[in-house]
Amino acid sequence: MKGKKVMKIIFIITTLLIVLLLAIYINHRIRLKKEEKLLLPLGQMVKVDGHNMSVYAYGTGDTTLVFMSGAGTCSPILDFKSLYSRLSDKYKIVVIEKFGYGFSDIVSKSRDIDSVLEDTRAALKAAGLNAPYVLCPHSMSGLEALYFAQKYPDEVSGIIGLDMAVPRYYDSMPINISMMKVMGRAANIGVTRLIPGASDSEAIKHGTLSDKEKEIYKAVFYSRTATVTMIKEGEAVKENAKKVDNMGAPQLPMLLFISNGQGGTGFDEETWRKIQIDYISKINGGKYIELDCPHYVHDYEYDRISESIVEFLSSKG
């Protein structure tokens, strides 16, 4: 008799959970439908390997700055806007939205470093953007930027690291793929809509986005959180870091902006700073600037960073 009561309670709880999740999912699909009007691409859509990739380009100047987002940054175009809007009167601004990010297609293809880099090069070419480029990577895309300079040195004239990752970080950085997959499933169901402030990115909280741009960012967040493509990046990142490390440090003009390590790096301030400083010490004439702000430096110190970029690019001729 007691066993039957327990089974009945379990059945009721399970049924309630299913009904709750179904209600959350239906609400999520309805909201996604309403948000479609906000999801008109902000840049140019180009074909890469049969899929659509978003490339945003504007501004004037002979030097082309290519902004490359970190892992999981759902809306790169809007994430970098506070910074690049201060540079567009002097330089050609480009933001690449990798597959699985922003307005680009979600794909399940390999995310080894060669595949990611060739997608980027193909997108730049399809958008009519010619090398050489000054690469401006944030976080994990630092690996791609370094590899770009290693493999195609004639196409990269400089690197400006926005608290970019270098290979040594991945020696000890934990990559929890299981948690990423749970987050992906939760996002697909719509659970993220129940988490207060989940869609409030650093760009929304600390940047200069308009109210309309904040709406767009949030709409992108609900359709581009922990995508299959992002998860594949996480699965490949340690091997990617080893490959980049084995090719040595590329010798070209390089400026690193280094944060205090807060905001999701998983490292204490001293370790986070030291690893980047050790790396830039290998670059002939490499420079770095330490900032007292979290990891998304371009959403906090956009004025100081933009001024330093102009100075750096002017000095390198």
Side-chain angles (χ1 to χ4, degrees):
M1 194 71 173
K2 188 176 180 180
K4 288 183 178 180
K5 286 184 177 180
V6 171
M7 291 301 295
K8 185 177 181 180
I9 291 171
I10 291 174
F11 175 77
I12 291 172
I13 292 173
T14 301
T15 302
L16 289 174
L17 282 174
I18 292 172
V19 171
L20 176 61
L21 289 174
L22 183 60
I24 291 170
Y25 178 73
I26 292 172
N27 172 66
H28 181 51
R29 302 313 301 182
I30 292 172
R31 297 282 291 276
L32 285 176
K33 189 68 177 176
K34 290 180 179 179
E35 288 162 357
E36 282 182 359
K37 64 181 183 294
L38 294 170
L39 297 177
L40 299 175
L42 296 174
Q44 177 182 357
M45 302 301 290
V46 299
K47 284 290 184 183
V48 174
D49 196 22
H51 303 284
N52 292 315
M53 185 177 281
S54 166
V55 181
Y56 178 78
Y58 92 119
T60 59
D62 297 328
T63 301
T64 301
L65 307 185
V66 179
F67 289 83
M68 307 161 76
S69 70
T73 301
C74 64
S75 181
I77 291 173
L78 294 175
D79 180 60
F80 286 120
K81 188 174 184 196
S82 298
L83 175 57
Y84 66 64
S85 62
R86 284 157 170 72
L87 297 164
S88 59
D89 60 334
K90 292 182 175 64
Y91 311 107
K92 182 79 171 180
I93 302 299
V94 178
V95 183
I96 295 289
E97 293 194 315
K98 295 180 292 185
F99 287 129
Y101 291 74
F103 298 97
S104 295
D105 287 350
I106 297 172
V107 301
S108 59
K109 60 186 292 189
S110 171
R111 294 292 79 193
D112 66 273
I113 195 72
D114 284 282
S115 296
V116 175
L117 174 56
E118 295 311 320
D119 286 345
T120 295
R121 292 181 70 241
L124 289 167
K125 182 177 180 181
L129 299 162
N130 299 318
Y133 315 107
V134 174
L135 305 179
C136 304
H138 172 242
S139 198
M140 188 179 75
S141 64
L143 296 178
E144 183 187 350
L146 293 171
Y147 194 57
F148 202 149
Q150 291 165 341
K151 195 170 181 183
Y152 302 103
D154 292 340
E155 297 182 16
V156 182
S157 61
I159 293 177
I160 297 171
L162 302 170
D163 213 29
M164 77 177 197
V166 296
R168 193 177 141 203
Y169 283 126
Y170 294 97
D171 291 345
S172 57
M173 184 184 291
I175 307 295
N176 194 331
I177 300 300
S178 296
M179 181 57 70
M180 290 176 67
K181 289 180 177 179
V182 169
M183 289 173 59
R185 293 190 185 100
N188 288 336
I189 293 171
V191 174
T192 47
R193 293 186 185 272
L194 306 179
I195 305 172
S199 63
D200 291 340
S201 67
E202 303 302 292
I204 288 175
K205 292 186 291 185
H206 303 286
T208 60
L209 299 181
S210 66
D211 289 342
K212 180 69 173 181
E213 287 166 339
K214 290 177 182 179
E215 279 189 77
I216 295 171
Y217 201 121
K218 291 182 180 184
V220 174
F221 170 83
Y222 290 120
S223 64
R224 290 295 186 275
T225 294
T227 63
V228 170
T229 321
M230 292 176 184
I231 292 170
K232 283 190 169 291
E233 284 181 347
E235 292 172 336
V237 69
K238 285 187 179 286
E239 284 303 313
N240 289 343
K242 288 178 184 177
K243 187 164 190 175
V244 174
D245 196 32
N246 288 339
M247 292 186 70
Q251 296 302 318
L252 77 170
M254 191 180 300
L255 170 63
L256 302 185
F257 293 96
I258 306 175
S259 79
N260 58 22
Q262 296 175 16
T265 68
F267 291 83
D268 62 82
E269 181 174 346
E270 182 181 359
T271 304
W272 181 256
R273 292 191 190 278
K274 185 177 186 305
I275 290 174
Q276 283 189 69
I277 292 171
D278 286 349
Y279 191 88
I280 198 69
S281 69
K282 304 172 186 175
I283 309 298
N284 295 328
K287 301 178 180 179
Y288 68 90
I289 296 173
E290 295 180 88
L291 301 171
D292 187 19
C293 69
H295 185 44
Y296 278 74
V297 293
H298 47 281
D299 290 321
Y300 289 87
E301 294 282 2
Y302 37 83
D303 283 325
R304 182 179 176 186
I305 292 173
S306 62
E307 291 168 4
S308 298
I309 288 175
V310 172
E311 182 180 350
F312 172 70
L313 293 178
S314 297
S315 67
K316 88 179 188 70

